[in-house]
Amino acid sequence: MLPVTHAIRDVDQAHQVLNRYFYTMDVDVLSPRPGWTASFAVGGDDVVTVGDLHFGVDVRIRAGELGSYHVNMPLHGGLAFHQGSAASQLATPACAGVYQPTGDTVIDRWEGDCRIIAVKIGRAELENQLARMLDAPIRGPIDLAPMLDLTNGAGAAWARLARMIAADTSEAGLTRHPVIGARLRETLVSGLLTASGHRYRDAMERHRPVLAAPGAIRRVVEAMRAQPGRPFTVADLAVIAGVGVRSLQQSFQRYVGMPPMTYLRQLRLGLVHEELRQARPGTTVAQVAYRYGFTHPSRFAAAYRERYGVTPSDTLRT
């Protein structure tokens, strides 16, 4: 999904945008006033959608069952909500509201001055990520705690990450890159599992990954070599190996001597080097580097020089 920013001046338009990017919902204005304007900046994809949303007028929203996991994180102001028969709770800049895939969802009052970062995560994505982290099947839903403390620890770190991704998404930045964007979204999902309370937290903390068989690691290496430009994430590679993420990382360290993403970066550097050596006239370093997932020119150049003792441009000229 390309990032889109909407300046909205009526409820029908707001309703259409929210239904398109998030869920089917009904919107009621609680305190009508003339001249109000909403601002919605939304980006992401069908797996993870991130929005920077400001309504500008007090509203009530009824969304029914979401079918996805969702977090509303106020940057200022307050947002009262409840799911199912639970009592209404208040999300604030200190404590985000967390929603389950099941249970009728109601925002009782979204204050007009409340600007939020809204994070929608597909149910399968969150539950599969947890299964990979535990190396065990998950019988969902995960039952995330309805409130997430944003003032310290993992919750505060997750909030910083969500704000950064929301800002980058609205500006069409690195989140659109196939490699970087996929890693950021994967980190957002796994970070929520680490920061939130749920019934699998003890299992996550106790879990000690079992080393993968050498054959599983060979499959991962072969996949990297077959498609070096593919935007692999650690989770993608763990699926190929048939193990959890932590098992993959520890097994790769044991059998290959480095983490899987380090190996992939070294592989890509080697391919860039070879392509620059044999480049046709008109080829640029940026074109080749970007093709293999290097989006930060100065960092790429530093890594290349550290490995080959020359700059990428020097290789291209020889």
Side-chain angles (χ1 to χ4, degrees), residues 16-235:
Q16 292 171 6
V17 173
L18 293 173
N19 285 2
R20 177 181 177 186
Y21 294 112
F22 289 98
Y23 317 99
T24 300
M25 58 183 73
D26 296 321
V27 180
D28 300 317
V29 175
L30 299 178
S31 305
R33 62 180 178 82
W36 66 272
T37 302
S39 177
F40 296 166
V42 186
D45 54 27
D46 292 338
V47 177
V48 178
T49 302
V50 180
D52 185 336
L53 313 178
H54 177 226
F55 233 109
V57 64
D58 290 7
V59 296
R60 177 189 294 116
I61 295 177
R62 294 183 296 274
E65 292 200 340
L66 304 182
S68 298
Y69 294 93
H70 187 101
V71 181
N72 279 338
M73 184 178 75
L75 300 181
H76 50 74
L79 184 151
F81 72 96
H82 73 274
Q83 274 195 304
S85 59
S88 183
Q89 302 191 70
L90 182 66
T92 69
C95 199
V98 182
Y99 304 74
Q100 311 301 318
T102 57
D104 287 344
T105 304
V106 179
I107 295 179
D108 302 292
R109 180 177 290 271
W110 181 348
E111 297 174 359
D113 64 348
C114 178
R115 176 185 168 198
I116 69 171
I117 302 300
V119 180
K120 173 187 174 183
I121 301 174
R123 176 172 179 172
E125 178 67 15
L126 193 77
E127 293 172 7
N128 289 341
Q129 178 67 12
L130 179 57
R132 289 190 290 265
M133 294 170 75
L134 292 177
D135 294 328
I138 299 302
R139 294 174 177 83
I142 299 172
D143 296 329
L144 299 176
M147 305 300 292
L148 175 60
D149 182 1
L150 306 177
T151 61
N152 55 62
W158 189 86
R160 289 193 295 270
L161 176 63
R163 287 195 298 268
M164 182 273 291
I165 291 176
D168 189 81
T169 296
S170 65
E171 297 170 0
L174 286 176
T175 51
R176 290 184 59 189
H177 186 273
V179 176
I180 305 301
R183 291 180 187 171
L184 287 172
R185 289 189 291 274
E186 179 184 317
T187 303
L188 192 68
V189 174
S190 58
L192 181 61
L193 289 166
T194 302
S196 299
H198 52 80
R199 58 194 172 98
Y200 292 96
R201 279 298 299 272
D202 289 345
M204 287 176 59
E205 293 171 2
R206 292 195 308 266
H207 178 61
R208 294 183 179 180
V210 178
L211 288 176
I217 302 305
R218 280 197 298 272
R219 287 198 304 273
V220 174
V221 171
E222 289 167 0
M224 291 179 183
R225 291 185 174 276
Q227 297 179 287
R230 179 178 165 185
F232 288 111
T233 66
V234 177

Side-chain angles (χ1 to χ4, degrees), residues 215-282:
I217 302 305
R218 280 197 298 272
R219 287 198 304 273
V220 174
V221 171
E222 289 167 0
M224 291 179 183
R225 291 185 174 276
Q227 297 179 287
R230 179 178 165 185
F232 288 111
T233 66
V234 177
D236 294 332
L237 299 175
V239 170
I240 293 170
V243 299
V245 169
R246 293 175 64 191
S247 291
L248 174 71
Q249 292 172 326
Q250 292 193 9
S251 301
F252 227 88
Q253 187 69 48
R254 176 168 180 174
Y255 298 128
V256 183
M258 64 184 76
M261 300 311 292
T262 300
Y263 178 86
L264 181 59
R265 183 171 63 252
Q266 294 300 319
L267 172 64
R268 288 170 171 164
L269 276 173
L271 292 169
V272 170
H273 176 69
E274 194 60 30
E275 192 164 327
L276 291 177
R277 289 181 61 247
Q278 302 179 28
R280 295 179 179 180

